Amino acid sequence: MSQHAGGNVREVNFDGLVGPTHNYAGLALGNVASMRHGGLEANPREAALQGLAKMKSLMDAGYVQGVLPPQQRPDLGALRALGFTGSDERVLARAAGDAPQVLRAVCSASSMWTANAATVTPSLDAPDGRVHFTPANLQSSFHRFLEPATTGRVLAAIFRDPARFAHHPALPATPAFSDEGAANHTRLAGDHGEPGVHLYVYGREAFGWGTEERPAPRRFPARQTLEASQAVARQHGLAESQVVFAQQHPEAIDAGVFHNDVISVGNGPVLLYHEMAFLDEAATLEALRQRMNAPLIPVRIPAEAVSLADAVSSYLFNSQLLSNPDGSMTLVVPGECQENEAVWRTLQDHLLAGANPIGEVVVKDVKQSMRNGGGPACLRLRVVLSAEERTALSGRVLLDDALYAQLVAWVERHYRDRLSPEDLADPALARESLAALDELSHVLGIGSVYPFQLEGA
């Protein structure tokens, strides 16, 4: 069945809106771009408008585009839980003086990268015929650990119909079940409307190591565990014949590949990947071939063409690979790919000239996100939905021209055009952010999802 037949089964990309407190705090260990740009001045308005422009261009090209709201930041509740007391102004001032890194963490706009929001299983793969969601616990970093509760409320508010959508709790927030969401999950199928195979990529095992010494990263932490991936697959009811678990190459993690979507991207039957993506490349491909109903189309980029360093700096693999009605695919890459000679040459000579469905490369400017280590693929959560499931969505979250115009006006009305880490202690910024989010929840029609909205309920 074609995903475009009768407009029925389509992949919807739900992009995260960049929040008003977008800043460069350099919080993410192992994320080379985030670490490199820590402390620089950010432009929240430009960041949000760049994200919206990418969404609008894909909507105009015929793709179904959704929107997810940012989180409430600064997270004053988190600061109070850590012992900061008094008025909001006092809490912010004390945190800025006593624990500036903590203040930066509770102001992070990292929820823009909705590839980490959750893991999703389409209804046509689930035994109960519902779409399944598990928010990622993101326990490996404090600033992202603050997200799952609100993420769960947002997803439940949008995907509200219990007959069509199933919501699971985030996994226990312990190192053994460290879960980073769809950034380490890829669904492969002949077509979005056909049964799929789920590739879960992990960096380490928490249990069952025994006496066998296994390769592990030495420089940066492995964020996703095998145990977390297995638990999510169990929650969603996936059978052994529907899943493949593959270990990420430790050398890639040490090079700055903190999530699998920085080193590979899949869509339909195509898996575009760097040769250093998987610890056991041959076994991973063979397992996929055995389970898929359609022939796997692996597109391998050798290290001699694109080094690991170039892959990380350009975010070649953190691109959106999208299906077109004619069976071809479009690869949406960040502008940094065009600026890297080796990467751009590989895109022209290896991808576009190769025997694969990728027929077009589209360049998008998402520099504000890229400087914090998030490319086009980080900015979206992929949800395969039937026409009936799309109709069942609550709120106004599928982008159209009117919503785009309204969101642009909302950003221009509420967002600052410059923000330094020192500005995060400004009480006015906190008030501006709450006002913006309160208005946004009404624009999107998702009800009360933020802590400040629920406190007086």
Side-chain angles (χ1 to χ4, degrees), residues 57-131:
S57 67
L58 294 181
M59 180 197 78
D60 288 343
Y63 304 105
V64 185
Q65 180 66 58
V67 177
L68 292 177
Q71 301 253 334
Q72 177 181 330
R73 297 292 180 267
D75 189 336
L76 292 167
L79 290 179
R80 287 193 163 90
L82 294 173
F84 295 100
T85 58
S87 65
D88 290 353
E89 291 78 5
R90 175 64 176 158
V91 166
L92 289 168
R94 284 195 60 199
D98 299 346
Q101 280 300 102
V102 174
L103 176 61
R104 293 183 181 192
V106 302
C107 290
S108 173
S110 55
S111 66
M112 72 174 84
W113 301 309
T114 56
N116 301 120
T119 306
V120 185
T121 294
S123 57
L124 52 91
D125 294 342
D128 64 358
R130 296 188 293 171
V131 184

Side-chain angles (χ1 to χ4, degrees), residues 47 53 157 189 240 303 310 323 335 346 383 447 449:
E240 184 179 350
D310 281 345
S323 297
T346 298
V383 187
V449 294

Side-chain angles (χ1 to χ4, degrees), residues 84-418:
F84 295 100
T85 58
S87 65
D88 290 353
E89 291 78 5
R90 175 64 176 158
V91 166
L92 289 168
R94 284 195 60 199
D98 299 346
Q101 280 300 102
V102 174
L103 176 61
R104 293 183 181 192
V106 302
C107 290
S108 173
S110 55
S111 66
M112 72 174 84
W113 301 309
T114 56
N116 301 120
T119 306
V120 185
T121 294
S123 57
L124 52 91
D125 294 342
D128 64 358
R130 296 188 293 171
V131 184
H132 286 249
F133 299 85
T134 297
N137 61 31
L138 298 171
Q139 68 86 46
S140 64
S141 54
F142 173 63
H143 68 288
R144 303 223 63 181
F145 165 76
L146 300 174
E147 297 175 19
T150 296
T151 296
R153 286 194 296 272
V154 168
L155 293 175
I158 295 171
F159 302 93
R160 188 174 297 175
D161 184 354
R164 299 183 185 276
F165 307 117
H167 297 275
H168 302 275
L171 300 180
T174 67
F177 292 99
S178 181
D179 178 25
E180 301 279 312
N184 293 307
H185 167 261
T186 300
R187 179 180 183 268
L188 296 163
D191 189 84
H192 292 312
E194 297 176 5
V197 172
H198 296 256
L199 172 62
Y200 293 89
V201 181
Y202 63 94
R204 63 183 173 88
E205 290 186 42
F207 306 131
W209 285 73
T211 58
E212 181 183 353
E213 185 175 344
R214 308 204 180 186
R218 300 174 182 272
R219 182 184 180 197
F220 295 131
R223 298 190 187 181
Q224 184 83 20
T225 66
L226 170 63
E227 289 78 3
S229 297
Q230 290 171 329
V232 171
R234 282 194 298 269
Q235 282 184 335
H236 296 193
L238 295 176
E240 184 179 350
S241 61
Q242 295 174 286
V243 298
V244 173
F245 299 102
Q247 185 175 350
Q248 192 171 12
H249 204 297
E251 291 182 30
I253 295 174
D254 281 339
V257 180
F258 52 99
H259 292 138
N260 180 63
D261 67 1
V262 179
I263 201 69
S264 77
V265 58
N267 180 60
V270 174
L271 180 64
L272 171 61
Y273 69 100
H274 191 276
E275 70 166 282
M276 296 293 288
F278 310 108
L279 182 61
D280 194 333
E281 175 189 354
T284 300
L285 296 182
E286 181 57 28
L288 290 171
R289 288 189 179 103
Q290 289 178 2
R291 288 164 174 78
M292 287 178 62
N293 293 331
L296 175 70
I297 304 176
V299 182
R300 182 183 195 262
I301 304 298
E304 63 185 22
V306 176
S307 67
L308 272 176
D310 281 345
V312 171
S313 65
S314 68
Y315 267 38
L316 164 61
F317 298 93
N318 196 248
S319 301
Q320 291 179 258
L321 189 54
L322 304 168
S323 297
N324 299 316
D326 63 1
S328 69
M329 296 188 187
T330 295
L331 187 69
V332 180
V333 304
E336 284 73 4
C337 287
Q338 199 169 24
E339 298 164 7
N340 185 302
E341 183 180 350
V343 169
W344 193 245
R345 184 172 59 248
T346 298
L347 282 169
Q348 305 304 312
D349 298 344
H350 193 93
L351 255 67
L352 296 181
N356 65 75
I358 304 172
E360 180 186 28
V361 172
V362 174
V363 178
K364 295 297 174 188
D365 179 7
V366 288
K367 274 188 170 56
Q368 286 288 325
S369 175
M370 284 287 290
R371 287 174 187 157
N372 249 342
C378 282
L379 288 162
R380 60 93 175 96
L381 179 68
R382 310 166 77 172
V383 187
V384 172
L385 297 170
S386 68
E388 294 78 10
E389 289 160 351
R390 296 195 298 275
T391 301
L393 296 178
S394 297
R396 185 180 169 216
V397 293
L398 295 183
L399 198 66
D400 55 25
D401 287 332
L403 179 58
Y404 171 75
Q406 199 166 354
L407 290 174
V408 167
W410 170 79
V411 169
E412 292 177 338
R413 189 162 54 250
H414 289 286
Y415 281 50
R416 299 186 180 189
D417 61 2
R418 59 179 62 88

